[in-house]
């Protein structure tokens, strides 16, 4: 393993199978993964429809089924609100999270901020990028298309229970 503890940052709006692929890659690279549920202050908008608590719950449902015991032993999920200053964001994460020595992300801003602080970074291999994208899932839910095909069955059930599709449709007016 290349690292002790790797940070996996995302908005997870909603968590999908691409995110699962990303988290599996994180656990291949490091002993433990800290999943940061970013933009935790956001909810009930078209870009960020779910609350941080709902995203934590959906991730937990998917990961406890997919990772089994490794979920309890090797994964932490921590919601983090955004701050206005990108330059000190990684220090802010250092204050909130257990110590970490690596980060994995496909987001160039996130990679840049970790690299500037001397943290090892990794770019994930993308899984079905055309269909497994939060933007596409939210757009399809708003328009009434097939938005569920890239979701884990447990996330699909959970989003059904909390009325995700109805929320997105109402938000899109
Ligand atoms: P996201 O949920 O869109 O993506 C999360 C991760 O999943 C990314 O690394 C992405 O590359 C990966 N991914 C997406 N689809 C994939 C697929 N099909 N296969 C494999 N991997 C896939 O989240 P994001 O926009 O990258 O989240 C970044 C978060 O960090 C945001 O909440 C942002 O606000 C926060 N942030 C905050 C600050 C600040 O507060 N100043 C600064 C930088 C970033």
């Amino acid at each position: 393993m290349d690292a002790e503890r790797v940070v996996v940052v995302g908005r997870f709006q909603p968590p999908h199978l691409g995110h699962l692929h990303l988290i599996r890659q994180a656990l291949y690279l490091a002993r433990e993964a800290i999943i940061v549920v970013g933009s935790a202050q956001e909810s009930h908008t078209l870009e960020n429809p779910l609350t941080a608590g709902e995203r934590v719950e959906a991730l937990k449902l998917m990961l406890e089924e997919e990772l089994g015991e490794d979920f309890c032993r090797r994964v932490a999920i921590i919601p983090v609100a955004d701050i206005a200053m990108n330059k000190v964001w990684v220090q802010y994460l250092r204050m909130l999270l257990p110590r970490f020595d690596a980060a994995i992300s496909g987001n160039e801003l996130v990679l840049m901020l970790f690299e500037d602080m001397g943290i090892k970074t990794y770019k994930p291999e993308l899984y079905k990028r055309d269909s497994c994208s939060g933007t596409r899932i939210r757009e399809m839910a708003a328009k009434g298309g097939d938005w569920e095909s890239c979701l884990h069955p447990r996330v699909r059930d959970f989003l059904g229970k909390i009325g995700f599709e109805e929320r997105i449709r109402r938000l899109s007016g």
Side-chain angles (χ1 to χ4, degrees):
M1 284 192 187
D2 285 4
E4 279 300 314
R5 216 177 263 135
V6 64
V7 178
V8 185
V9 185
R11 283 186 301 115
F12 306 107
Q13 287 285 8
H16 55 66
L17 296 178
H19 294 138
L20 176 61
H21 194 72
L22 170 74
I23 293 160
R24 284 195 195 282
Q25 291 175 72
L27 288 173
Y28 181 77
L29 292 167
R31 230 175 275 286
E32 291 180 22
I34 307 170
I35 302 176
V36 168
V37 175
S39 306
Q41 79 285 0
E42 299 282 350
S43 77
H44 293 79
T45 66
L46 280 175
E47 205 181 337
N48 291 292
L50 300 171
T51 66
E54 288 165 340
R55 290 176 271 159
V56 169
E57 212 173 326
L59 280 165
K60 181 170 179 283
L61 285 166
M62 173 170 79
L63 297 177
E64 67 188 4
E65 176 152 309
E66 290 298 320
L67 305 178
E69 276 192 5
D70 270 353
F71 174 64
C72 295
R73 291 194 296 118
R74 301 179 61 200
V75 177
I77 307 178
I78 302 182
V80 173
D82 292 334
I83 55 168
M85 298 153 288
N86 283 337
K87 183 67 185 170
V88 295
W89 181 63
V90 174
Q91 278 107 311
Y92 167 67
L93 293 181
R94 279 202 167 120
M95 178 182 77
L96 295 175
L97 310 180
R99 287 175 306 150
F100 52 85
D101 56 352
I104 183 167
S105 175
N107 178 322
E108 283 301 328
L109 170 64
V110 168
L111 289 169
M112 201 186 305
L113 296 178
F114 277 104
E115 283 161 17
D116 283 356
M117 294 307 296
I119 304 288
K120 244 182 312 193
T121 61
Y122 300 89
K123 267 194 168 186
E125 183 191 290
L126 295 179
Y127 174 80
K128 295 187 181 172
R129 190 53 181 145
D130 291 342
S131 54
C132 286
S133 125
T135 306
R136 184 186 164 278
I137 292 167
R138 295 189 303 274
E139 278 173 8
M140 296 295 269
K143 290 180 191 150
D146 170 21
W147 57 277
E148 294 175 312
S149 58
C150 207
L151 297 178
H152 188 277
R154 292 185 99 184
V155 174
R156 216 179 289 153
D157 288 351
F158 174 72
L159 294 181
K161 267 189 214 141
I162 64 168
F164 175 78
E165 190 174 13
E166 162 77 359
R167 187 183 301 178
I168 292 250
R169 295 239 182 119
R170 289 186 70 183
L171 289 169
S172 65

